[in-house]
Amino acid sequence: MTGSFPRPGADPFTERTPRVVAARKLTRRAERDRTGRFLAEGANAVEAALADGTVYELFVTSRAADQHAALVDAARAAGVGVSPITDRAADGLSETVTPQGIVAVCALLDRPLEEAVTPAARLVVVLVDVADPGNAGTVIRVADAAGADAVVLAGDTVDPHNGKCVRAAAGSLFHLPIARVRDVHAALAACSGAGLKTFAAHGYADAELDRVDLTEPTAWVFGNEAHGLPADVLDRADLAVRIPLYGRAESLNLATAAAVCVYTSALAARR
């Protein structure tokens, strides 16, 4: 479907074509929130969007159309308008140094907190005040790979529809429920209310990861890259847990720590 956009024409759109100009504005969060749309760039993200999301329009260069003919055909079969664009227009829609030339305009993926975190959930990931979109996207990808039921972005965590986050998630953004909530305590309460034990990842915790029972339904809570989790969040969690470090590194970065914790839970649940 083409939504409020006019029907695509046959000639390649340039960077000055109104629909390209409108789509380029979606690189800004305010415009994404206003329109309820975002850009998914690259074959992985576009494939996932066509399979699991709502796609309004697909922009594609002639080179990318040749490389990803099956995706273009799938979009047309789904009734999605396919708009040819010039390389320069693709540059304007991309936030990367080397654009892939295939970009989908998609509906935002937010779910209400109560829909994302339900009593059926066994594993949920909560990000609190995470600032780097690459980290957020990587954690979403990890959560998807580990079979998590949802990801909750709480407090001042970056917009998951940010271009860098979408690319880092590599299509996983479309595979599991994503909820955004400003109130961190509401996010924790929702997890507890759904029967999940909340584990806060904290480098100075007494409890070590390899000594914790992770067979119960669990919500892992991760904090800001520089400052970690606030004291009030640590207090509200059921248990603070640290990853033991056996070498000389002082710490692990957020995405790596999340991968270790979330996969440890996933493996424990499947033993």
Side-chain angles (χ1 to χ4, degrees):
M1 56 184 164
T2 57
S4 60
F5 290 109
R7 294 185 63 81
D11 295 331
F13 292 161
T14 73
E15 71 278 6
R16 292 185 293 275
T17 301
R19 281 221 307 286
V20 175
V21 172
R24 187 165 62 242
K25 292 179 182 177
L26 297 176
T27 58
R28 302 197 298 263
R29 181 169 185 168
E31 188 69 9
R32 294 194 294 269
D33 290 342
R34 186 186 73 80
T35 61
R37 300 180 179 190
F38 75 106
L39 299 179
E41 181 190 0
N44 286 341
V46 169
E47 182 178 13
L50 289 170
D52 299 290
T54 298
V55 179
Y56 295 103
E57 186 167 11
L58 182 66
F59 293 104
V60 62
T61 63
S62 60
R63 174 181 53 82
D66 290 339
Q67 291 176 338
H68 307 294
L71 284 182
V72 174
D73 290 343
R76 289 195 172 112
V80 174
V82 177
S83 298
I85 56 174
T86 64
D87 289 338
R88 190 164 178 178
D91 290 344
L93 295 177
S94 176
E95 297 177 76
T96 66
V97 177
T98 55
Q100 295 190 40
I102 184 166
V103 182
V105 178
C106 307
L108 296 184
L109 299 169
D110 303 87
R111 301 267 193 95
L113 183 59
E114 62 274 13
E115 289 184 14
V117 182
T118 70
R122 299 284 304 176
L123 179 59
V124 170
V125 176
V126 182
L127 300 182
V128 177
D129 299 338
V130 171
D132 184 270
N135 278 336
T138 300
V139 174
I140 290 170
R141 185 177 182 179
V142 165
D144 178 25
D149 298 286
V151 175
V152 179
L153 309 180
D156 290 324
T157 294
V158 67
D159 178 9
H161 305 99
N162 172 290
K164 187 175 181 181
C165 184
V166 175
R167 290 191 300 278
S172 290
L173 200 64
F174 296 93
H175 294 164
L176 74 173
I178 305 290
R180 284 191 286 177
V181 57
R182 294 287 300 178
D183 189 338
V184 177
H185 294 162
L188 297 180
C191 291
S192 297
L196 297 163
K197 189 166 185 178
T198 53
F199 289 155
H202 179 51
Y204 300 101
D206 292 329
E208 293 188 343
L209 180 64
D210 56 348
R211 299 178 182 230
V212 174
D213 180 7
L214 295 173
T215 59
E216 302 176 71
T218 299
W220 274 106
V221 187
F222 303 99
N224 177 268
E225 294 88 344
H227 308 296
L229 288 166
D232 61 331
V233 174
L234 291 171
D235 289 341
R236 283 177 175 260
D238 290 317
L239 184 67
V241 181
R242 66 182 171 90
I243 299 171
L245 301 176
Y246 304 118
R248 297 173 62 186
E250 291 184 2
S251 64
L252 297 172
N253 66 25
L254 168 65
T256 302
V260 171
C261 294
V262 172
Y263 252 93
T264 300
S265 281
L267 291 169
R270 284 161 175 73
R271 283 198 185 101

